[in-house]
Amino acid sequence: MPHDVHPQAQAVIDLAIELGIPKIQDLTTEAARALVEQFTDARREVYPSPEIFEVENTSTGPGYSHVPVADL
């Protein structure tokens, strides 16, 4: 374990160990995705997404590819 981990990051690591959350690098791709989805769902229960009032497709300027915004 590195010795230069920020105390707040270390607290998160310690809690993950205490809760038995596996290291993501030790999981299969499918299991890692499922774990991230579980965390995402739990976060949305506590912190719902903000309401979006308007979405506008824009470009970054001449010579750059246009990246469309997903339909909401």
Side-chain angles (χ1 to χ4, degrees):
M1 179 68 68
H3 298 289
D4 59 348
V5 177
H6 189 280
Q8 289 176 330
Q10 187 63 56
V12 172
I13 293 167
D14 293 343
L15 181 59
I17 292 168
E18 181 181 321
L19 294 173
I21 298 171
K23 295 178 183 177
I24 202 159
Q25 65 267 25
D26 293 341
L27 300 174
T28 64
T29 302
E30 294 78 17
R33 286 180 179 157
L35 182 64
V36 170
E37 285 295 322
Q38 287 176 334
F39 290 152
T40 302
D41 291 343
R43 184 192 174 281
R44 284 187 185 129
E45 289 177 14
V46 178
Y47 301 105
S49 298
E51 185 177 341
I52 298 174
F53 296 102
E54 181 180 344
V55 175
E56 181 179 334
N57 284 326
T58 62
S59 67
T60 54
Y64 292 96
S65 297
H66 176 77
V67 179
V69 176
D71 293 334
L72 300 176

